[in-house]
């Protein structure tokens, strides 16, 4: 008798967990198809481009700035100086960490990509509208 009750409880729990998992998967798939849901759409186009850079590099701009100990508006010379110093300090031949060295490289790449994206946007804004008619 008790084995039958235990079996019913196990089957009921399995059914509940299975349905919950299926519903969560279905919702996640719908969010992915919609481009991240309403929160992503509310952030706007520029934020979407920044998010693309974050997804591409696996590092946010804030994290990159923290790693290189610079602000977002720091001069490129300061970024390069801090990068070279941190890269040299983490040389594996000098007893440094390859992991930290790779984080320093990724941080510099992230900042470079962000600056390139900003320069591209600025150039696009400054470009005069084309007045040519293809007719």
């Amino acid at each position: 008798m008790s084995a039958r009750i235990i079996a019913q409880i196990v089957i009921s729990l399995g059914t509940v967990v299975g349905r919950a998992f299926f519903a969560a998967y279905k919702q996640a798939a719908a969010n992915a198809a919609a481009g991240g849901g309403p929160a992503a759409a509310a952030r706007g186009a520029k934020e979407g481009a920044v998010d693309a850079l974050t997804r591409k590099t696996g590092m946010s701009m804030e994290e990159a700035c923290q790693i290189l100990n610079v602000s977002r508006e720091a001069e490129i010379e300061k970024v390069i100086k801090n990068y070279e110093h941190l890269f040299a300090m983490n040389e594996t031949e000098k007893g440094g960490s390859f992991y930290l060295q790779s984080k320093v490289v990724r941080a510099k790449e992230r900042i470079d990509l962000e600056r390139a994206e900003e320069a591209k946007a600025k150039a696009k804004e400054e470009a005069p509208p084309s007045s040519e008619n293809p007719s």
Side-chain angles (χ1 to χ4, degrees), residues 49-77:
V50 172
D51 285 345
L53 292 176
T54 300
R55 285 190 300 272
K56 180 178 180 181
T57 60
M59 181 180 294
S60 70
M61 185 64 177
E62 290 76 23
E63 183 181 3
C65 289
Q66 285 178 344
I67 289 170
L68 292 178
N69 194 27
V70 296
S71 66
R72 280 180 87 94
E73 298 80 26
E75 295 294 322
I76 192 68
E77 292 82 18

Short mmCIF file of all heavy atoms in Angstrom, two decimals, residues 49-77:
data_model
loop_
_atom_site.label_atom_id
_atom_site.label_comp_id
_atom_site.label_asym_id
_atom_site.label_seq_id
_atom_site.Cartn_x
_atom_site.Cartn_y
_atom_site.Cartn_z
N ALA A 49 23.39 48.18 -30.08
CA ALA A 49 24.72 48.02 -30.66
C ALA A 49 25.74 47.74 -29.58
O ALA A 49 26.64 46.93 -29.76
CB ALA A 49 25.10 49.28 -31.44
N VAL A 50 25.61 48.41 -28.46
CA VAL A 50 26.54 48.18 -27.35
C VAL A 50 26.35 46.77 -26.82
O VAL A 50 27.32 46.08 -26.53
CB VAL A 50 26.31 49.23 -26.23
CG1 VAL A 50 27.12 48.89 -25.00
CG2 VAL A 50 26.68 50.61 -26.74
N ASP A 51 25.12 46.33 -26.72
CA ASP A 51 24.88 44.97 -26.27
C ASP A 51 25.50 43.96 -27.23
O ASP A 51 25.98 42.92 -26.81
CB ASP A 51 23.38 44.70 -26.14
CG ASP A 51 22.79 45.37 -24.91
OD1 ASP A 51 23.55 45.77 -24.02
OD2 ASP A 51 21.56 45.46 -24.85
N ALA A 52 25.49 44.26 -28.52
CA ALA A 52 26.11 43.37 -29.49
C ALA A 52 27.61 43.27 -29.23
O ALA A 52 28.18 42.18 -29.31
CB ALA A 52 25.84 43.86 -30.91
N LEU A 53 28.23 44.39 -28.88
CA LEU A 53 29.66 44.36 -28.56
C LEU A 53 29.92 43.57 -27.29
O LEU A 53 30.89 42.83 -27.20
CB LEU A 53 30.20 45.79 -28.40
CG LEU A 53 30.26 46.63 -29.66
CD1 LEU A 53 30.71 48.04 -29.34
CD2 LEU A 53 31.16 46.00 -30.70
N THR A 54 29.05 43.72 -26.32
CA THR A 54 29.20 42.97 -25.08
C THR A 54 29.06 41.47 -25.34
O THR A 54 29.84 40.67 -24.84
CB THR A 54 28.16 43.43 -24.04
OG1 THR A 54 28.37 44.82 -23.78
CG2 THR A 54 28.28 42.65 -22.75
N ARG A 55 28.08 41.10 -26.16
CA ARG A 55 27.92 39.68 -26.50
C ARG A 55 29.10 39.17 -27.31
O ARG A 55 29.55 38.04 -27.11
CB ARG A 55 26.62 39.47 -27.29
CG ARG A 55 25.38 39.53 -26.45
CD ARG A 55 24.17 39.08 -27.23
NE ARG A 55 23.92 39.88 -28.41
CZ ARG A 55 23.19 40.99 -28.44
NH1 ARG A 55 22.65 41.43 -27.33
NH2 ARG A 55 23.00 41.65 -29.56
N LYS A 56 29.63 40.00 -28.20
CA LYS A 56 30.75 39.58 -29.05
C LYS A 56 32.01 39.34 -28.23
O LYS A 56 32.72 38.36 -28.44
CB LYS A 56 31.00 40.64 -30.11
CG LYS A 56 32.13 40.32 -31.05
CD LYS A 56 32.28 41.40 -32.09
CE LYS A 56 33.42 41.07 -33.04
NZ LYS A 56 33.58 42.12 -34.05
N THR A 57 32.29 40.24 -27.30
CA THR A 57 33.53 40.14 -26.52
C THR A 57 33.36 39.38 -25.22
O THR A 57 34.35 38.95 -24.63
CB THR A 57 34.09 41.53 -26.20
OG1 THR A 57 33.12 42.25 -25.44
CG2 THR A 57 34.43 42.29 -27.46
N GLY A 58 32.13 39.26 -24.74
CA GLY A 58 31.89 38.59 -23.47
C GLY A 58 32.26 39.46 -22.29
O GLY A 58 32.44 38.96 -21.18
N MET A 59 32.38 40.77 -22.52
CA MET A 59 32.79 41.68 -21.45
C MET A 59 32.08 43.02 -21.66
O MET A 59 32.03 43.54 -22.77
CB MET A 59 34.31 41.88 -21.53
CG MET A 59 34.88 42.79 -20.47
SD MET A 59 36.66 42.99 -20.62
CE MET A 59 37.23 41.35 -20.24
N SER A 60 31.55 43.58 -20.58
CA SER A 60 30.92 44.88 -20.68
C SER A 60 31.98 45.97 -20.68
O SER A 60 33.13 45.75 -20.29
CB SER A 60 29.95 45.09 -19.51
OG SER A 60 30.69 45.24 -18.32
N MET A 61 31.58 47.14 -21.10
CA MET A 61 32.50 48.28 -21.13
C MET A 61 32.94 48.64 -19.71
O MET A 61 34.10 48.98 -19.48
CB MET A 61 31.82 49.47 -21.81
CG MET A 61 32.70 50.65 -22.02
SD MET A 61 34.06 50.26 -23.12
CE MET A 61 34.84 51.85 -23.20
N GLU A 62 32.03 48.54 -18.76
CA GLU A 62 32.37 48.85 -17.36
C GLU A 62 33.43 47.89 -16.84
O GLU A 62 34.37 48.29 -16.16
CB GLU A 62 31.12 48.79 -16.48
CG GLU A 62 30.12 49.90 -16.72
CD GLU A 62 29.31 49.72 -17.99
OE1 GLU A 62 29.16 48.58 -18.47
OE2 GLU A 62 28.83 50.73 -18.53
N GLU A 63 33.27 46.60 -17.15
CA GLU A 63 34.25 45.62 -16.71
C GLU A 63 35.61 45.87 -17.34
O GLU A 63 36.65 45.78 -16.68
CB GLU A 63 33.76 44.21 -17.06
CG GLU A 63 34.67 43.11 -16.58
CD GLU A 63 34.18 41.72 -16.95
OE1 GLU A 63 33.15 41.59 -17.64
OE2 GLU A 63 34.86 40.75 -16.56
N ALA A 64 35.60 46.23 -18.63
CA ALA A 64 36.87 46.52 -19.32
C ALA A 64 37.56 47.72 -18.69
O ALA A 64 38.79 47.70 -18.49
CB ALA A 64 36.60 46.77 -20.80
N CYS A 65 36.79 48.74 -18.36
CA CYS A 65 37.38 49.93 -17.72
C CYS A 65 37.93 49.60 -16.33
O CYS A 65 38.99 50.11 -15.95
CB CYS A 65 36.35 51.04 -17.63
SG CYS A 65 35.94 51.77 -19.23
N GLN A 66 37.24 48.75 -15.60
CA GLN A 66 37.74 48.35 -14.28
C GLN A 66 39.03 47.56 -14.39
O GLN A 66 39.95 47.77 -13.61
CB GLN A 66 36.69 47.51 -13.55
CG GLN A 66 35.54 48.31 -13.00
CD GLN A 66 34.51 47.42 -12.33
OE1 GLN A 66 34.49 46.20 -12.52
NE2 GLN A 66 33.65 48.03 -11.54
N ILE A 67 39.12 46.68 -15.35
CA ILE A 67 40.31 45.85 -15.51
C ILE A 67 41.52 46.72 -15.83
O ILE A 67 42.60 46.55 -15.26
CB ILE A 67 40.10 44.78 -16.59
CG1 ILE A 67 39.12 43.72 -16.07
CG2 ILE A 67 41.42 44.13 -17.00
CD1 ILE A 67 38.65 42.75 -17.12
N LEU A 68 41.34 47.69 -16.75
CA LEU A 68 42.45 48.54 -17.15
C LEU A 68 42.60 49.78 -16.26
O LEU A 68 43.50 50.59 -16.48
CB LEU A 68 42.29 48.97 -18.61
CG LEU A 68 42.43 47.85 -19.63
CD1 LEU A 68 42.20 48.37 -21.03
CD2 LEU A 68 43.79 47.19 -19.52
N ASN A 69 41.72 49.93 -15.27
CA ASN A 69 41.78 51.04 -14.32
C ASN A 69 41.73 52.39 -15.03
O ASN A 69 42.56 53.27 -14.80
CB ASN A 69 43.03 50.94 -13.43
CG ASN A 69 42.94 51.84 -12.23
OD1 ASN A 69 41.85 52.17 -11.77
ND2 ASN A 69 44.08 52.26 -11.71
N VAL A 70 40.76 52.54 -15.93
CA VAL A 70 40.54 53.80 -16.63
C VAL A 70 39.05 54.12 -16.60
O VAL A 70 38.22 53.26 -16.32
CB VAL A 70 41.02 53.73 -18.11
CG1 VAL A 70 42.52 53.54 -18.18
CG2 VAL A 70 40.30 52.65 -18.88
N SER A 71 38.73 55.37 -16.92
CA SER A 71 37.32 55.74 -17.03
C SER A 71 36.90 55.57 -18.48
O SER A 71 37.73 55.40 -19.38
CB SER A 71 37.12 57.20 -16.60
OG SER A 71 37.78 58.07 -17.51
N ARG A 72 35.60 55.65 -18.72
CA ARG A 72 35.09 55.51 -20.09
C ARG A 72 35.63 56.59 -21.01
O ARG A 72 35.83 56.37 -22.19
CB ARG A 72 33.56 55.59 -20.10
CG ARG A 72 32.87 54.33 -19.69
CD ARG A 72 31.36 54.53 -19.74
NE ARG A 72 30.79 54.26 -21.04
CZ ARG A 72 30.28 53.10 -21.41
NH1 ARG A 72 30.27 52.11 -20.57
NH2 ARG A 72 29.76 52.95 -22.60
N GLU A 73 35.86 57.78 -20.47
CA GLU A 73 36.29 58.92 -21.27
C GLU A 73 37.81 59.08 -21.29
O GLU A 73 38.33 60.09 -21.76
CB GLU A 73 35.67 60.21 -20.73
CG GLU A 73 34.16 60.24 -20.78
CD GLU A 73 33.50 59.48 -19.64
OE1 GLU A 73 34.12 59.33 -18.57
OE2 GLU A 73 32.38 59.01 -19.83
N ALA A 74 38.55 58.11 -20.80
CA ALA A 74 40.00 58.23 -20.69
C ALA A 74 40.64 58.36 -22.07
O ALA A 74 40.13 57.83 -23.07
CB ALA A 74 40.58 57.01 -19.98
N GLU A 75 41.75 59.08 -22.11
CA GLU A 75 42.51 59.24 -23.35
C GLU A 75 43.08 57.89 -23.77
O GLU A 75 43.41 57.06 -22.93
CB GLU A 75 43.64 60.25 -23.16
CG GLU A 75 43.17 61.65 -22.87
CD GLU A 75 42.45 62.27 -24.06
OE1 GLU A 75 42.87 62.03 -25.21
OE2 GLU A 75 41.45 62.97 -23.84
N ILE A 76 43.23 57.71 -25.06
CA ILE A 76 43.73 56.43 -25.59
C ILE A 76 45.15 56.16 -25.10
O ILE A 76 45.53 55.01 -24.89
CB ILE A 76 43.62 56.39 -27.13
CG1 ILE A 76 43.85 54.98 -27.66
CG2 ILE A 76 44.58 57.37 -27.77
CD1 ILE A 76 42.77 54.01 -27.31
N GLU A 77 45.92 57.22 -24.88
CA GLU A 77 47.29 57.03 -24.39
C GLU A 77 47.30 56.39 -23.01
O GLU A 77 48.13 55.53 -22.72
CB GLU A 77 48.04 58.37 -24.36
CG GLU A 77 48.32 58.97 -25.72
CD GLU A 77 47.14 59.72 -26.32
OE1 GLU A 77 46.20 60.10 -25.57
OE2 GLU A 77 47.15 59.92 -27.55
#
